Amino acid sequence: MTVFDPNLRQIFVDNQYRESSSSGEHCVLNPADLTFVGRIAMCEEQEVENVILRAKIAQNEWKKVDEKSRSIILHGLANSIENGDFEEVAKLMVLEMGKPYPEAVGELANCAPIFRYYAEMARDEGGILPGTTQAGSFQFARYFPYGVTAHIMPFNFPIIIMCWTVAASLAAGNTCVVKPAESTSLCTLKFMERFKSLPSGLVNCITGGAEAGRVLVESPNTHAVAFTGSVETGRKIAMGCAERMKPAVIEAGGSDPMIITEHAPLDIAVPGCTMSAFHLSGQVCVSSERFFVHEAVHDEFIEGFTKMAKALKIGPGLEESEIGPLVSEAARDKVIRLVDDALSKGARVACGGRIPAQYNTGWFYEPTILTGVNSEMAVMQEEAFGPIASVCKVKSLDEALELANNTKFGLGASLFTNRMDEAMQAYETLEAGMVWVNNPLIDNDAIPFGGWKMSGIGREMGRQGLDAFRQSKMGVIDASPTIQDWWYPYPQDWFYNGKGREY
Ligand code: NAD
């Protein structure tokens, strides 16, 4: 069976689609209207282990391929992604998780470059060659792959986040088993067609939920884990990996601050904040959630922000929509709980705060701005992961920075200002893995991406993203063997009762 079918409970292994041998299944429903999209298998332990073994067999060959040849193959994959037809993958993504179509296409259009980047980086630098500590001794380190890497993925950017770690892992000489989120398994499976341009078995995909993920983490035949998802799941996976001394990159959630200083360019800050708060209905890991706005510009900012938020087009992702539904009922219930809690403690609704009347079948929620928010409210302590911007009025940049850092999270942080001194102070002070000044949400294949504090361990992208999937081996090679002056027998005067060894 080499053709993808969203109804057949398939997995992707050895470059082929196969019907899953596991009995459990999950029906995928469109979060915009709750219609049926397809079905996925809930892969059981034995099936997951079998796929891991196929990846292990493929790795035995892939690890022997020289870096230049690997690079040529990865560039071929990038070509295949660039020349592929995105439409069906993008449509499935929209139908499965609700993303507006332009955002699904935008995600896919950005996947190829990371394969080119790591293809070149891995062959540019295969180890370390420092100065030697002994003349004539060749002392160096080379990088080696771990083996089979597991990639446990979130629903919000299912393809591009997978590509970030799969590209690094393949370039380093590993093979991969991917487990997408239940709500984005069909588009991920469809995208697997692109990997058919690789030697068989390099990238495989199983489906399922927490149990399938657990098997990937605990299997003795996976050797490193790339996880992106919530803090709660990330902790479980980090603990599972720690118990087995298995390296893990944990990209977890956040509750990013956005600071609007008294010197912010409001004409740019308002549209920038509308995007960073409500893009993908607030389901971006680095969505701005907690807003700290200087009192001198607070009211003007809120007026513009509210006007823009109210103008956003809500609707199903295949229509002319800018704001799709949330991914699930549970996700919307959380948003409702956080808004209710904030209102009960004195916050006010500037706009939104309700289910849109015309879209009350799926999991839609209006872009919502809350003002008068304080740190006692749950919305300031938890990741909302929904279309809520919670605004606190502050008296100074120092106060904003202190409140911004008053959280267990440390993923991203943003600021709008026209002043260089404020930009520098914020970059220095904010406890986060990424700081954006006047340009939120941007990433760069060549810059490490990841969180401080509870938002993660390790980095994706950049050189650190490649190093996460390779281990060094020190080498000391002396071509002309000699007896070293520190070997046995020790001279008499080295002992305690002699005059002692001189250094
Ligand atoms: P999630 O934690 O619910 O699930 C993520 C993945 O983990 C899914 O594939 C899921 O099936 C799997 N999983 C769940 N329980 C597991 C277990 N016990 N063992 C192994 N695997 C398990 O996250 P989600 O709802 O899909 O994604 C949203 C979260 O991801 C948000 O918190 C968001 O901030 C975060 N995120 C972070 C980044 C980043 O780069 N830091 C990027 C995107 C998303």
Side-chain angles (χ1 to χ4, degrees):
M1 190 193 303
T2 53
V3 179
F4 168 72
D5 186 323
N7 286 306
L8 290 187
R9 307 167 62 261
Q10 291 169 324
I11 61 173
F12 184 79
V13 56
D14 284 337
N15 287 11
Q16 296 231 324
Y17 291 104
R18 288 189 196 160
E19 204 165 325
S20 165
S21 59
S22 303
S23 55
E25 69 174 39
H26 168 77
C27 280
V28 180
L29 301 184
N30 182 342
D33 58 12
L34 311 190
T35 54
F36 177 81
V37 180
R39 61 185 91 240
I40 62 165
M42 299 303 278
C43 291
E44 289 154 12
E45 181 155 4
Q46 194 52 57
E47 182 166 36
V48 178
E49 290 289 3
N50 289 344
V51 174
I52 294 169
L53 284 179
R54 300 308 304 168
K56 194 174 176 188
I57 290 167
Q59 204 262 333
N60 282 335
E61 297 306 313
W62 183 238
K63 71 182 179 189
K64 294 178 201 153
V65 174
D66 65 88
E67 277 84 355
K68 183 180 176 193
S69 303
R70 259 189 225 154
S71 158
I72 290 169
I73 291 168
L74 291 177
H75 280 295
L77 170 60
N79 294 341
S80 141
I81 294 172
E82 280 164 352
N83 299 330
D85 182 359
F86 294 150
E87 188 179 333
E88 206 179 329
V89 182
K91 268 170 76 178
L92 275 168
M93 202 189 297
V94 172
L95 296 177
E96 283 181 286
M97 57 76 72
K99 181 175 291 204
Y101 186 73
E103 295 170 19
V105 172
E107 175 174 346
L108 295 167
N110 279 302
C111 289
I114 194 78
F115 289 97
R116 300 197 188 283
Y117 176 71
Y118 281 131
E120 291 308 313
M121 182 181 283
R123 83 186 176 112
D124 178 60
E125 188 231 358
I128 304 165
L129 185 61
T132 184
T133 63
Q134 296 166 314
S137 180
F138 181 39
Q139 302 177 349
F140 64 101
R142 271 186 52 211
Y143 295 124
F144 290 81
Y146 283 108
V148 176
T149 59
H151 302 253
I152 302 173
M153 292 295 119
F155 75 85
N156 59 344
F157 291 97
I159 308 294
I160 195 157
I161 290 180
M162 170 186 70
C163 288
W164 290 352
T165 56
V166 163
S169 176
L170 291 175
N174 305 282
T175 55
C176 308
V177 180
V178 174
K179 193 206 81 62
E182 294 95 310
S183 48
T184 41
S185 296
L186 297 175
C187 63
T188 307
L189 279 167
K190 176 69 186 164
F191 187 82
M192 289 287 143
E193 279 172 358
R194 305 268 68 87
F195 294 120
K196 286 184 177 182
S197 70
L198 296 173
S200 177
L202 262 52
V203 181
N204 307 276
C205 181
I206 55 126
T207 57
E211 172 59 12
R214 180 196 65 74
V215 177
L216 286 176
V217 170
E218 295 183 3
S219 168
N221 289 313
T222 61
H223 308 99
V225 174
F227 166 79
T228 304
S230 61
V231 168
E232 194 187 329
T233 311
R235 286 183 66 211
K236 287 184 195 153
I237 289 178
M239 286 190 282
C241 288
E243 229 176 288
R244 292 162 183 82
M245 296 293 232
K246 207 174 271 190
V249 178
I250 306 289
E251 292 284 355
S255 176
D256 283 13
M258 166 63 82
I259 297 173
I260 309 297
T261 79
E262 61 184 311
H263 306 109
L266 290 191
D267 53 335
I268 310 294
V270 164
C273 289
T274 308
M275 190 50 133
S276 71
F278 301 123
H279 185 59
L280 198 50
S281 298
Q283 299 169 115
V284 183
C285 55
V286 289
S287 291
S288 301
E289 296 199 351
R290 298 175 299 126
F291 286 69
F292 303 102
V293 183
H294 194 281
E295 59 186 5
V297 294
H298 177 273
D299 293 356
E300 191 184 343
F301 172 76
I302 293 293
E303 193 187 333
F305 193 20
T306 304
K307 196 171 163 203
M308 264 202 99
K310 280 183 174 166
L312 291 169
K313 294 179 195 152
I314 302 175
L318 293 181
E319 295 177 10
E320 283 184 15
S321 129
E322 292 162 330
I323 300 289
L326 288 158
V327 70
S328 65
E329 184 173 19
R332 189 173 69 178
D333 285 350
K334 181 176 189 183
V335 165
I336 293 171
R337 171 174 66 77
L338 292 174
V339 171
D340 286 349
D341 172 79
L343 296 183
S344 75
K345 292 174 181 161
R348 292 173 299 282
V349 173
C351 67
R354 60 186 179 200
I355 294 166
Q358 72 276 35
Y359 292 113
N360 57 9
T361 307
W363 311 125
F364 290 92
Y365 196 81
E366 287 186 6
T368 298
I369 298 172
L370 300 177
T371 57
V373 172
N374 64 49
S375 51
E376 301 306 309
M377 299 170 186
V379 75
M380 296 301 269
Q381 292 152 13
E382 299 178 31
E383 178 182 37
F385 221 54
I388 319 174
S390 303
V391 184
C392 293
K393 196 190 279 188
V394 294
K395 291 186 184 324
S396 65
L397 178 57
D398 286 341
E399 183 189 358
L401 291 168
E402 193 179 327
L403 290 170
N405 286 339
N406 183 22
T407 168
K408 65 182 178 184
F409 302 110
L411 195 55
S414 298
L415 176 96
F416 274 95
T417 180
N418 267 336
R419 286 258 302 257
M420 191 64 177
D421 57 340
E422 291 184 338
M424 294 302 291
Q425 184 188 352
Y427 178 81
E428 283 291 330
T429 313
L430 286 163
E431 296 165 358
M434 285 82 60
V435 173
W436 292 278
V437 177
N438 297 333
N439 191 1
L441 298 183
I442 287 299
D443 58 51
N444 178 336
D445 292 346
I447 299 179
F449 187 96
W452 286 21
K453 302 199 265 188
M454 292 298 281
S455 290
I457 305 171
R459 293 290 179 267
E460 294 177 351
M461 301 200 283
R463 188 169 295 273
Q464 288 180 40
L466 178 61
D467 288 343
F469 295 98
R470 56 189 192 173
Q471 51 195 335
S472 67
K473 186 191 288 188
M474 175 176 167
V476 175
I477 299 179
D478 282 22
S480 308
T482 26
I483 293 175
Q484 303 292 326
D485 62 3
W486 62 280
W487 291 0
Y488 300 131
Y490 293 155
Q492 198 57 39
D493 59 357
W494 282 19
F495 294 111
Y496 185 63
N497 286 332
K499 70 178 175 48
R501 185 176 182 181
E502 279 178 17
Y503 280 99

